[in-house]
Amino acid sequence: MENFKLVIEPKPINVSHDTYRRECCYTRGIHIPHEDFVEILESMSHDTKIYFDFHNPGKAIEPGTYLNGHSGLARSIANYYQNRENIKVDGINNGKDFYVKII
């Protein structure tokens, strides 16, 4: 089973943002196992889920999908790993842009 990992990209990764009708360019991201990401989505507050859907309208939640990150998602990811596995996810919940790749 693959574990999550923070990634600093040598070249920017482009992720489509259909709401803004443009590509977002990221140099950092987090790769998250599909099962973990499904649980993260299920544990999100209603408002955070709405904001997630705004940034990723209609995107499939399946391995290989790239998603746009946002501060609420960063908090959800950090809380999930802190509470579930007692692992601190330093570097994702700091207000900087990031992508998520489901693995």
Side-chain angles (χ1 to χ4, degrees), residues 34-67:
H34 177 261
E35 298 79 20
D36 290 357
F37 197 76
V38 168
E39 288 184 32
I40 290 166
L41 282 176
E42 289 173 356
S43 69
M44 280 182 187
S45 71
H46 176 72
D47 290 344
T48 302
K49 178 76 168 124
I50 287 172
Y51 203 60
F52 172 82
D53 290 339
F54 170 80
H55 283 288
N56 298 288
K59 289 199 176 175
I61 305 302
E62 59 189 26
T65 300
Y66 284 83
L67 303 165

Side-chain angles (χ1 to χ4, degrees), residues 2-9 28-33 36 77 81 89-90 92 99-101 103:
E2 292 185 81
N3 292 324
F4 79 92
K5 66 180 176 180
L6 293 171
V7 178
I8 303 298
E9 299 291 346
R28 63 191 211 107
I30 185 166
H31 295 189
I32 300 178
D36 290 357
I77 291 168
Y81 285 109
V89 184
D90 293 328
I92 201 69
Y99 72 87
V100 171
K101 179 181 180 186
I103 54 175

Side-chain angles (χ1 to χ4, degrees), residues 59-97:
K59 289 199 176 175
I61 305 302
E62 59 189 26
T65 300
Y66 284 83
L67 303 165
N68 295 289
H70 58 85
S71 61
L73 179 56
R75 277 190 305 279
S76 295
I77 291 168
N79 289 340
Y80 174 82
Y81 285 109
Q82 177 68 43
N83 295 334
R84 183 169 181 252
E85 299 183 25
N86 200 28
I87 297 172
K88 279 193 129 175
V89 184
D90 293 328
I92 201 69
N93 195 13
N94 61 6
K96 294 182 181 177
D97 289 342

